[in-house]
Amino acid sequence: MPPSYTPQQKAAIAQYVAITQADKNAAVRTLKQYSWNLDQAVNAFYSGGNNTAAASPHQQSLSKLFDKYKDPQSKEADKNDEVTNIEGTMKYFEDIGVGLEDVSFFIVSELLQSPSMGELTRRGFIDGWSSQGIDTLPKMKNHILARRSQLPDPAFRPTFKAIYKHAFPLARAQGQKVLALDFAVEYWKILLSPPSLAWTTPSTAFLDLWLDFVQTRYRRAVNKDMWEQTLRFAEMCLLDESMAWWNEEAAWPGVIDDFVEFVREKRAVGEMRADEMDVE
């Protein structure tokens, strides 16, 4: 007859398994060892102090690796909430060959769910890499290179969308709901050009036009909706560069409507010049 547990104990077992990916028996043994204190049991797991045979070798290795980069001043009540400081984060990116001005930076930040620029959490670091079965720096470097090469592949588009969306909260100034335009411009240059999604077609350099438009006519901070709708609009442009699918009744942000008119103006000028050259 299986042992019976209280509702609180059952909840603790389920949470321990979800957090550590250990099996149920290992969860029970560790929780009993720590008198059913979930926080203490999880902390012991990540510090390698639970001595359970079923503990994930990836997670234990990743926890030790994270210790090399964590902020020595980070003394959180929950060990999983410990973070890196800017020096530790930069050292980590250097060790895996990732530059801050390359799309790889955004790939890693999304995978590890970095809460802000220059900061990683122990939980995000361990969960992100263990989900890929990776626990060493060389393997991390190779994985990021592989993901980088996949960015243009339509089959990889859902992952790219997640990377693009995560760039917005990642880059916002602390306490702000919008992204400064100069930051948005730099990130669009990285995320919407090769080796990432190339927002250009045979007849229209959309990204160049977009950057010209937002810097000369829009000139304001970028909110979350505008950031996300820009990617959706870019994808539509790549499917049909004529923009025949666009109409004023669609639920696009006003800035997108204005940009469509901007592009049409540029095209009209270009056609006029071509006609003048033909006459000459």
Side-chain angles (χ1 to χ4, degrees):
M1 187 173 179
S4 60
Y5 302 106
T6 66
Q8 292 81 5
Q9 290 172 337
K10 290 179 180 179
I13 294 168
Q15 291 180 62
Y16 184 92
V17 170
I19 293 170
T20 66
Q21 303 301 305
D23 64 30
K24 183 177 178 181
N25 291 333
V28 170
R29 287 196 300 271
T30 306
L31 286 164
K32 284 182 177 179
Q33 182 181 349
Y34 290 94
S35 302
W36 296 94
N37 186 306
L38 178 64
D39 289 339
Q40 289 183 13
V42 170
N43 288 343
F45 175 87
Y46 285 118
S47 64
N50 57 24
N51 295 318
T52 58
S56 164
H58 288 308
Q59 291 173 332
Q60 289 189 12
S61 298
L62 288 166
S63 185
K64 292 178 181 177
L65 181 59
F66 183 85
D67 287 337
K68 292 176 55 179
Y69 305 104
K70 77 171 186 178
D71 182 354
Q73 304 301 317
S74 181
K75 304 294 183 183
E76 305 296 331
D78 185 342
K79 190 178 181 70
N80 293 315
D81 293 332
E82 290 183 333
V83 298
T84 57
N85 56 20
I86 187 67
E87 292 81 9
T89 304
M90 295 305 100
K91 180 63 169 63
Y92 172 65
F93 280 115
E94 177 184 340
D95 288 348
I96 59 173
V98 170
L100 300 185
E101 297 181 357
D102 186 84
V103 70
S104 297
F105 171 78
F106 295 99
I107 294 173
V108 178
S109 297
E110 189 279 329
L111 177 63
L112 307 188
Q113 288 298 291
S114 171
S116 63
M117 192 71 72
E119 184 177 87
L120 302 171
T121 67
R122 182 185 295 274
R123 187 189 304 275
F125 187 86
I126 293 173
D127 289 350
W129 284 123
S130 62
S131 71
Q132 306 301 314
I134 291 173
D135 61 358
T136 67
L137 294 174
K139 290 180 181 179
M140 292 173 187
K141 185 174 183 177
N142 290 336
H143 183 80
I144 295 305
L145 289 173
R147 282 203 169 199
R148 190 177 186 274
S149 70
Q150 292 173 312
L151 290 177
D153 185 348
F156 196 70
R157 193 59 51 81
T159 300
F160 172 72
K161 287 182 179 180
I163 292 167
Y164 179 91
K165 288 183 177 182
H166 186 72
F168 182 81
L170 179 72
R172 280 181 310 185
Q174 188 172 9
Q176 296 296 310
K177 294 183 177 181
V178 295
L179 179 59
L181 182 60
D182 55 345
F183 279 101
V185 165
E186 293 307 311
Y187 297 154
W188 276 321
K189 289 179 182 178
I190 296 171
L191 292 162
L192 297 180
S193 63
S196 190
L197 180 70
W199 189 15
T200 186
T201 63
S203 69
T204 307
F206 278 104
L207 178 60
D208 292 342
L209 289 171
W210 175 250
L211 299 181
D212 181 14
F213 170 77
V214 296
Q215 292 178 99
T216 60
R217 299 199 183 183
Y218 180 71
R219 300 192 297 270
R220 296 192 294 278
V222 175
N223 63 29
K224 182 180 179 182
D225 183 58
M226 177 180 169
W227 177 263
E228 295 185 357
Q229 290 298 319
T230 298
L231 175 59
R232 176 172 168 247
F233 181 78
E235 291 177 315
M236 295 293 289
C237 290
L238 293 175
L239 292 173
D240 179 4
E241 64 178 343
S242 73
M243 299 188 297
W245 42 267
W246 179 86
N247 69 78
E248 295 181 354
E249 305 303 319
W252 292 102
V255 62
I256 298 292
D257 295 338
D258 293 342
F259 177 62
V260 171
E261 293 305 312
F262 179 80
V263 173
R264 288 175 173 172
E265 289 173 12
K266 294 289 186 181
R267 286 176 171 173
V269 171
E271 290 171 2
M272 184 183 302
R273 289 175 179 168
D275 291 342
E276 289 172 354
M277 291 177 66
D278 290 341
V279 170
E280 293 175 0

